[in-house]
Amino acid sequence: MPGRLRLSAAQLETIIEHARANQPEEACGILAGDADGRVRQVFAMENAEHSRTFYMMDSREQFQVFDQIEREGLDLLAIFHSHPHSEAYPSAHDRELAYYPDSLYLIISLMNAKPDYHAFRIVDGAVAEAEIVIEDDVVPA
Ligand SMILES: [Zn+2]
């Protein structure tokens, strides 16, 4: 389980664009990649709840994405979602529904003009911040 998330600037932009496109609702998705934490693929997904304050991945879409990650030999690195109206920190709901202790949770806040983002590991409701490393665009988004 990598302690940090390694993203290209283009991948981060893809995530922020997905978050912006879904405003005022929360957006969500999955980041898959290598065991060393480098993201190879960004899956922008639907928030099945279409809520402004929480998200739930569509179970069928989630199954398809997990299947694709496995077929491509990638790891689930992070689950991301946006907070259109609050800061980039896990809500009580986020902590409660963090079912993947091996995954990081990336949260993008759009409450200010400049998007803010932080990654966390959430295990049994306990939150620890993880490092995000933005690397050169060597990997296509
Ligand atoms: Zn949240």
Side-chain angles (χ1 to χ4, degrees):
M1 95 174 47
R4 51 187 196 164
L5 194 58
R6 299 166 61 197
L7 280 168
S8 74
Q11 288 168 335
L12 180 62
E13 196 51 41
T14 298
I15 294 164
I16 290 171
E17 281 307 311
H18 181 54
R20 285 195 168 124
N22 282 275
Q23 276 184 306
E25 295 174 1
E26 289 197 6
C28 61
I30 283 177
L31 305 180
D34 302 333
D36 64 359
R38 181 150 67 144
V39 173
R40 294 280 178 189
Q41 235 174 315
V42 176
F43 295 94
M45 294 164 67
E46 182 178 352
N47 178 358
E49 293 289 337
H50 291 283
S51 164
R52 294 171 181 230
T53 51
F54 63 97
Y55 75 101
M56 182 66 69
M57 288 183 280
D58 175 77
S59 56
R60 177 181 288 196
E61 189 179 26
Q62 186 178 350
F63 178 82
Q64 286 166 349
V65 168
F66 279 12
D67 189 55
Q68 190 178 337
I69 290 171
E70 199 176 316
R71 273 188 285 114
E72 294 181 5
L74 300 174
D75 287 352
L76 166 65
L77 296 181
I79 294 168
F80 72 87
H81 74 286
S82 65
H83 281 176
H85 317 286
S86 59
E87 61 187 36
Y89 192 81
S91 67
H93 191 264
D94 292 336
R95 294 195 294 271
E96 202 177 311
L97 296 180
Y99 296 131
Y100 299 94
D102 290 341
S103 171
L104 292 175
Y105 289 84
L106 172 65
I107 302 179
I108 300 95
S109 171
L110 299 176
M111 69 185 291
N112 298 310
K114 186 180 188 312
D116 189 25
Y117 50 90
H118 293 277
F120 305 92
R121 190 171 298 284
I122 308 174
V123 180
D124 296 331
V127 176
E129 183 151 9
E131 191 186 358
I132 299 175
V133 181
I134 305 298
E135 302 183 325
D136 292 340
D137 292 338
V138 287
V139 182

